[in-house]
Each structure stands twice: as structure tokens, then as C-alpha cells.
């Protein structure tokens, strides 16, 4: 079976949160969105839902 590689980065997460919060009537600051994205990325790593790949190794 071929393994599918999906790349998820904090910028993508930040954009998703930003759009979702705007739709819900919130106006988040850029710094707040970046923090949420970092926390989400760390959560996904901790739960082994994603693996961290060093961009220099690619």
C-alpha cells in the first residue's frame, strides 16, 4: 500500500483558525492566531496524529 504524505504547517492552521473565527464574529489579532496554530500543531504531534518533518531534511 502506498503511503500518502500530507503536509500540515502552522501557517495553514493559522489561516484556518482565522477564517473560522471571522465567520463566528471574532476579530483575532495575528499574534493570537499564530499562538493557536502553534498550540494546535503541538497537540497533533503529542497525539501522534502527525509527524514533525525538518524542512532541511526534505
Amino acid at each position: 500500500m502506498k503511503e500518502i504524505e500530507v503536509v500540515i504547517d502552522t501557517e495553514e492552521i493559522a489561516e484556518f483558525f482565522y477564517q473560522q473565527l471571522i465567520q463566528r464574529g471574532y476579530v483575532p489579532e495575528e499574534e493570537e492566531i499564530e499562538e493557536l496554530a502553534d498550540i494546535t500543531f503541538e497537540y497533533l504531534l503529542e497525539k501522534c496524529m502527525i509527524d514533525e518533518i525538518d524542512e532541511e531534511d526534505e
Side-chain angles (χ1 to χ4, degrees):
M1 183 183 331
K2 185 176 180 180
E3 187 174 315
I4 298 173
E5 183 177 315
V6 176
V7 177
I8 298 173
D9 63 25
T10 54
E11 289 177 21
E12 181 181 359
I13 295 169
E15 181 62 27
F16 178 80
F17 271 101
Y18 180 78
Q19 294 300 322
Q20 292 298 311
L21 288 167
I22 292 295
Q23 288 177 11
R24 289 167 170 79
Y26 295 96
V27 183
E29 297 287 329
E30 183 176 345
E31 185 177 303
E32 295 169 320
I33 293 297
E34 290 173 2
E35 286 297 322
L36 284 171
D38 286 342
I39 291 166
T40 302
F41 192 82
E42 290 169 12
Y43 175 79
L44 294 172
L45 284 172
E46 188 174 303
K47 294 296 182 178
C48 299
M49 298 175 80
I50 60 173
D51 291 325
E52 189 168 20
I53 298 173
D54 189 0
E55 291 180 7
E56 293 176 3
D57 291 342
E58 290 182 24

